Amino acid sequence: MNENIKIAVIGLGYVGLPLARLFATKYPVVGFDINESRVTSLKSGIDSTLEVNQQELQKVLVDKPTNEYGLFCSSIPADMLDCNYFIITVPTPVDRNNRPDLTPLYKSSETVGKILKKGDIVIYESTVYPGVTEEQCVPVLEKVSGLKLNVDFYAGYSPERINPGDKEHTVEKILKVTSGSTPEIGLKVDALYKSVITAGTHLAPTIKVAEAAKVIENSQRDINIAFVNELAKIFNLMNIDTQEVLAAAATKWNFLPFKPGLVGGHCIGVDPYYLAQRAQEFGYHPEIILAGRRLNDSMGEYIASQVVKLMIKKGISVNGANLLMLGITFKENCPDVRNTKIVDVVKSLTEYGISVTIYDPLANIKEVQKEYELKTVNSIPNDKFDAIVLGVAHAEFLKLNFSELQKDNSLLYDVKGVLGAIADNRL
């Protein structure tokens, strides 16, 4: 790439920070985030999401904007004035009614629009339904900047594929889909990512194709997990071990190895609603997508009911029982608690009169309290419990001596199916 490239990455979370760090190994990068405390932590080389280790981060950090390669973190929009590529990586959540909330995209587009110049390229990475970039975000950029798409500035879309907590499939090792608002800009966007993504890129013909590709990736996983969750319910009624069934079926070469469990987080548990709403706007009711969502959303209450039934069978008094919930984050070895379905399990258990202690060494205690009004602890409780539920398969939990935490007559329930023979039951 011959042009003088200076990149701004807007949103320094689980997606934005690894991307900004990667680009900063080759280009001057300004990492922008409205969370001042987040920026302060990053400037000192600390990433609370645990996606980028301190050594990697400190290698690229610079203390002021530069024309050389390096990452400058800021919460001041003016620090992005000299940038000519703006990559927006803000979250796209759903509201209480599971309707897409594009507020972060609108606000970040306004921020970029205020400093947008002729010739600049704005690339969105946030997961959206087809049409959001050109029909929702671009009009904001045009209105705020006074510039015209494909005349004064250009747009692109390259969906994020970060897998939080995964230290093997890091950003540069995951093939990247790219696209642009014109064929020429598509080539520029593709070349930009290709210069740092060792796994390569796939240039989609249009932005809408790239948007659709991303939203179906997670919808497909959601539906497949819903299927095995339904199998787990059926086999539990038949007193058949679901994990053993899946292990036997997996011996066939084309069997898809999905496992039952809770489906939360900011991707798989959210993205199908984006596609569903868009489909409904076109007059189509997506039956399979929404059925999968309903089944997966019901799993928290189902797991709680299974735990209670097993406690009763073991002669454990349910009302007033003490239960230890291991994990509150949405997935293993990751501190992210957004849209975690463990909360549904805890809520259902407390409705049975059970006192639940939540232990998670990775979760931020204040964040959990603020988001869910739940109290958590970061160290192993010095107590014995009537029941223990392994809700999240953090590596630290697999090293626990469960007998030290259990009363003489107690239940060990394994939601993730990782404890083997020591568990009384598993999903």
Side-chain angles (χ1 to χ4, degrees), residues 3 28 32 125 162 187 225 233 236 249 251 294 305 321 419 427:
E3 62 182 298
F32 174 83
E125 287 216 358
I162 292 290
L187 291 171
I225 295 170
K233 290 183 175 182
N236 279 345
T251 59
R294 283 192 298 272
S305 69
L419 296 180
L427 181 61

Side-chain angles (χ1 to χ4, degrees), residues 92-340:
T92 45
V94 292
D95 63 18
R96 291 181 180 180
N97 298 311
N98 292 320
R99 292 176 301 201
D101 180 6
L102 300 179
T103 302
L105 277 177
Y106 291 144
K107 290 189 176 297
S108 57
S109 296
E110 289 174 2
T111 298
V112 171
K114 292 175 183 177
I115 56 177
L116 198 61
K117 309 175 298 301
K118 287 191 174 183
D120 289 350
I121 298 176
V122 185
I123 304 167
Y124 291 85
E125 287 216 358
S126 307
T127 303
V128 293
Y129 56 76
V132 166
T133 299
E134 293 158 298
E135 297 168 20
Q136 300 292 331
C137 298
V138 165
V140 175
L141 293 172
E142 290 181 325
K143 181 180 179 181
V144 175
S145 68
L147 302 176
K148 186 72 175 175
L149 178 69
N150 293 337
V151 175
D152 304 308
F153 75 95
Y154 304 91
Y157 183 78
S158 181
E160 61 90 1
R161 281 176 165 171
I162 292 290
N163 186 25
D166 188 340
K167 303 308 178 187
E168 180 181 352
H169 301 97
T170 50
V171 58
E172 68 272 19
K173 297 176 184 176
I174 304 172
L175 194 142
K176 204 82 163 67
V177 174
T178 61
S179 64
S181 54
T182 70
E184 294 76 18
I185 294 304
L187 291 171
K188 279 194 171 187
V189 171
D190 190 67
L192 178 70
Y193 282 98
K194 190 176 288 184
S195 68
V196 293
I197 302 293
T198 56
T201 60
H202 173 89
L203 178 57
T206 66
I207 286 176
K208 285 187 176 68
V209 167
E211 290 170 326
K214 171 58 183 177
V215 80
I216 71 164
E217 289 175 18
N218 289 333
S219 297
Q220 182 187 63
R221 284 186 58 78
D222 194 42
I223 292 166
N224 278 295
I225 295 170
F227 172 60
V228 293
N229 275 337
E230 188 162 65
L231 292 180
K233 290 183 175 182
I234 294 169
F235 293 143
N236 279 345
L237 292 172
M238 298 177 178
N239 197 29
I240 299 173
D241 189 317
T242 305
Q243 300 289 346
E244 295 295 346
V245 173
L246 294 175
T251 59
K252 189 180 180 187
W253 74 91
N254 61 351
F255 183 80
L256 301 178
F258 288 91
K259 293 184 177 181
L262 297 166
V263 185
H266 52 92
C267 291
I268 299 177
V270 170
D271 298 348
Y273 289 120
Y274 276 74
L275 183 56
Q277 171 161 310
R278 190 58 166 168
Q280 288 167 340
E281 289 173 0
F282 280 80
Y284 181 81
H285 180 74
E287 297 181 28
I288 294 176
I289 293 171
L290 291 178
R293 272 288 75 231
R294 283 192 298 272
L295 196 144
N296 284 339
D297 278 344
S298 73
M299 290 304 293
E301 186 176 349
Y302 173 77
I303 288 169
S305 69
Q306 293 300 299
V307 170
V308 168
K309 287 178 182 179
L310 290 167
M311 289 173 69
I312 293 171
K313 284 183 179 180
K314 295 197 75 168
I316 301 170
S317 179
V318 173
N319 192 12
N322 292 317
L323 181 145
L324 177 62
M325 174 62 70
L326 295 174
I328 187 69
T329 63
F330 91 89
K331 69 175 294 187
E332 66 276 5
N333 305 319
C334 171
D336 195 349
V337 298
R338 287 178 294 175
N339 194 35
T340 173

